[in-house]
């Protein structure tokens, strides 16, 4: 009998989606499941984007340019410049989501067995993208005690070897919601310059910052690392357009972009209708974001306040994105998350969370942690935390 590849065997299962079969069973029993496990916003997609698709008069659904519509890239460049980022048309390749942008980045700068340093916990698919690229993740651990701040730069430096090609950060962070300070970004910039490494920044949550005193610092705005910096971006969360699957890879490094373009040509082109929607989304009025940020800030505050009321629960306070990591009084969050769906309900309702161990590459880390996405309405978040509180009582009494 033929066998699958070792690469396929090593491809990690999604910690976010692996519990879906158990959620389906819970729903078939008649239980309502509050989904705290996945960052699927319930915010309405901007009407201007949806109307652009509805009104598109296309006789032949052709390939687009492999780098994406020139009109979209030009408009995207203007958007970035309005954000204070010196990004030009030629610095952008449109991709099928931020996921493909990350795959293009890793494929362009890393060979088999090369190493990429990533602060953990990190977006679970970074593990998968690294396996697919034949690269090795070298984790540097951040902790809930510091709110998942950047670990000391000396911890990064001691991990650098001849195989190290890049450092990857998510800013603001998924799954932690941590927002890197100017000092932290500057420290990373100095390090990658010193060792001639790439600094990849996944900045898809750039707009989602909740405190007026805080600011997002992009790697594309750091002087002196223009040849080191690679930015990943996406429309998924910004415009609540996860299903569009449109992102981009951005860099001033011409060799990186020429190499990424080969990958872009090999997959032919990004999807046409989704590019139409994404280009139109750039005309979304500022009032849309004002309302969205206000709503998410209220959700964050509601969730954190409610979680802090549960004895034995510790939560890292997120400054951005729409996730937090919560440490629970359980030994194994994977077992607890499955039990919530299989064996527990509170008046016909239960919750689905993402066990945090899948957001680490270090073994036995995050075993008592979960990621919670605050993408539900405030009343639903309050209900969800009440369910969690009751569930912990029952689970720990068994």
């Amino acid at each position: 009998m033929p066998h699958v590849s070792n690469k396929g065997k090593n491809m990690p299962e999604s910690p976010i989606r692996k519990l879906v079969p158990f959620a389906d069973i819970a729903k078939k029993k008649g239980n309502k499941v509050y989904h705290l496990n996945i960052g699927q916003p319930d915010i309405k997609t901007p009407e201007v984007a949806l109307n652009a698709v509805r009104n598109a008069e296309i006789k032949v659904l052709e390939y687009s340019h492999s780098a994406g519509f020139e009109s979209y890239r030009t408009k995207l460049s203007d958007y970035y410049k309005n954000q204070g980022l010196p990004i030009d048309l030629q610095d952008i390749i449109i991709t099928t989501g931020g996921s493909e942008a990350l795959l293009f980045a890793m494929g362009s700068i890393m060979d088999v067995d090369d190493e990429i340093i990533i602060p953990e916990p990190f977006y679970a698919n970074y593990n998968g993208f690294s396996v697919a690229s034949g690269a090795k993740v070298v984790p540097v651990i951040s902790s809930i005690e510091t709110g998942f701040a950047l670990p000391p730069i000396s911890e990064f430096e001691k991990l650098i070897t001849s195989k190290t090609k890049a450092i990857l950060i998510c800013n603001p962070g998924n799954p932690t919601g941590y927002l890197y300070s100017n000092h932290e970004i500057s420290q990373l910039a100095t390090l990658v310059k010193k060792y001639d490494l790439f600094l990849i920044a996944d900045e898809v949550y750039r707009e989602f910052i909740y405190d007026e005193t805080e600011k997002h610092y992009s790697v594309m705005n750091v002087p002196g690392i223009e040849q080191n910096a690679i930015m990943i971006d996406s429309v998924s969360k910004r415009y609540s357009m996860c299903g569009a699957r449109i992102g981009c890879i951005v860099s001033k490094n011409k060799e990186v972009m020429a190499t990424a373009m080969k990958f872009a040509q090999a997959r032919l082109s990004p999807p046409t209708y989704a590019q139409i929607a994404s280009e139109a989304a750039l005309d979304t009025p500022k009032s849309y974001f004002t309302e969205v940020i206000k709503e998410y800030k209220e959700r964050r505050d509601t969730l954190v306040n409610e979680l802090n009321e549960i004895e034995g629960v510790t939560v890292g306070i997120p400054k951005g994105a729409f996730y937090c990591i919560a440490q629970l009084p359980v030994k194994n969050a994977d077992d607890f998350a499955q039990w919530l769906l299989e064996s527990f309900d509170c008046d016909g309702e239960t919750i689905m969370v993402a066990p945090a161990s899948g957001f680490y590459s270090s073994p036995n880390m995050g075993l008592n942690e979960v990621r919670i996405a605050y993408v539900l309405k405030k009343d639903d978040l309050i209900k969800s935390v009440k369910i969690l509180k009751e569930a912990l009582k029952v689970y720990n009494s068994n």
Side-chain angles (χ1 to χ4, degrees):
M1 178 179 172
H3 296 287
V4 301
S5 66
N6 286 327
K7 183 187 286 186
K9 289 177 183 175
N10 292 332
M11 195 73 173
E13 191 176 18
S14 169
I16 306 165
R17 291 174 170 82
K18 69 181 181 181
L19 294 170
V20 167
F22 300 102
D24 291 341
I25 291 168
K27 290 172 187 175
K28 284 175 183 173
K29 285 185 197 171
N31 291 335
K32 179 173 181 177
V33 178
Y34 291 97
H35 285 271
L36 304 174
N37 61 305
I38 192 164
Q40 171 58 64
D42 64 352
I43 304 295
K44 286 185 178 178
T45 302
E47 202 65 24
V48 66
L50 298 175
N51 283 337
V53 174
R54 292 185 189 115
N55 299 331
E57 294 185 9
I58 295 176
K59 297 285 194 290
V60 179
L61 198 56
E62 299 175 334
Y63 293 119
S64 77
H65 191 290
S66 291
F69 295 162
E70 185 171 335
S71 58
Y72 178 33
R73 287 180 287 131
T74 300
K75 205 168 172 181
L76 198 52
S77 168
D78 292 339
Y79 157 79
Y80 286 131
K81 285 174 180 172
N82 286 333
Q83 300 264 322
L85 305 181
I87 295 170
D88 299 314
L89 169 71
Q90 65 270 22
D91 304 329
I92 304 168
I93 292 175
I94 305 302
T95 57
T96 309
S99 299
E100 188 176 69
L102 278 158
L103 283 167
F104 285 4
M106 289 187 182
S108 296
I109 67 172
M110 304 186 76
D111 290 312
V112 173
D113 294 332
D114 279 345
E115 298 172 354
I116 183 165
I117 300 173
I118 314 178
E120 62 178 357
F122 51 71
Y123 176 46
N125 282 335
Y126 294 166
N127 272 327
F129 300 148
S130 299
V131 170
S133 301
K136 179 185 175 187
V137 170
V138 178
V140 54
I141 299 170
S142 61
S143 70
I144 198 167
E145 288 76 22
T146 65
F148 299 104
L150 191 77
I153 210 71
S154 58
E155 295 298 306
F156 286 85
E157 194 157 15
K158 68 171 67 165
L159 296 173
I160 295 172
T161 71
S162 60
K163 287 282 190 180
T164 308
K165 288 294 178 70
I167 295 170
L168 168 59
I169 60 170
C170 187
N171 185 32
N174 174 7
T176 65
Y178 186 76
L179 178 69
Y180 291 108
S181 68
N182 187 28
H183 178 63
E184 288 169 324
I185 296 295
S186 296
Q187 284 185 306
L188 288 170
T190 301
L191 190 67
V192 297
K193 190 80 173 168
K194 178 179 178 180
Y195 288 96
D196 204 20
L197 307 175
F198 289 102
L199 178 57
I200 306 173
D202 183 344
E203 299 186 2
V204 305
Y205 298 97
R206 181 190 298 106
E207 271 81 7
F208 298 92
I209 298 168
Y210 306 118
D211 301 307
E212 291 180 5
T213 56
E214 300 288 352
K215 182 183 173 186
H216 181 264
Y217 295 95
S218 172
V219 295
M220 296 303 295
N221 221 3
V222 181
I225 64 162
E226 291 82 2
Q227 299 306 304
N228 308 75
I230 300 172
M231 184 180 85
I232 306 300
D233 207 354
S234 167
V235 305
S236 291
K237 310 305 161 86
R238 182 171 301 129
Y239 303 110
S240 196
M241 288 170 57
C242 295
R245 308 313 307 133
I246 292 291
C248 61
I249 177 173
V250 179
S251 182
K252 291 282 183 185
N253 187 310
K254 287 182 168 44
E255 187 179 16
V256 166
M257 295 307 284
T259 306
M261 187 60 181
K262 295 179 195 175
F263 287 92
Q265 289 168 340
R267 65 83 166 100
L268 304 183
S269 68
T272 293
Y273 275 113
Q275 287 186 84
I276 290 170
S278 300
E279 184 173 335
L282 289 167
D283 293 326
T284 302
K286 285 186 179 178
S287 58
Y288 173 87
F289 294 105
T290 303
E291 290 303 311
V292 168
I293 298 306
K294 180 184 174 188
E295 176 65 24
Y296 276 123
K297 184 180 189 302
E298 289 175 0
R299 292 180 183 188
R300 178 200 67 173
D301 294 345
T302 298
L303 176 66
V304 170
N305 290 339
E306 293 293 318
L307 286 171
N308 281 331
E309 292 297 313
I310 304 178
E311 187 177 351
V313 171
T314 303
V315 58
I317 300 175
K319 296 178 181 178
F322 35 68
Y323 309 98
C324 70
I325 292 284
Q327 206 172 71
L328 305 180
V330 299
K331 287 184 179 178
N332 191 309
D334 281 85
D335 288 345
F336 176 64
Q338 185 173 327
W339 174 85
L340 279 168
L341 297 167
E342 267 192 318
S343 307
F344 178 80
D345 73 272
C346 184
D347 297 325
E349 297 182 329
T350 190
I351 58 174
M352 187 174 182
V353 294
S357 59
F359 298 92
Y360 291 83
S361 63
S362 296
N364 301 317
M365 290 297 298
L367 294 180
N368 64 340
E369 296 173 355
V370 295
R371 186 192 75 169
I372 297 175
Y374 44 95
V375 292
L376 303 181
K377 292 176 175 57
K378 292 187 285 292
D379 287 348
D380 289 343
L381 288 173
I382 291 168
K383 279 185 194 173
S384 297
V385 178
K386 284 181 178 173
I387 292 167
L388 174 63
K389 184 176 182 178
E390 289 306 308
L392 286 168
K393 284 181 189 173
V394 175
Y395 185 79
N396 286 326
S397 66
N398 290 340

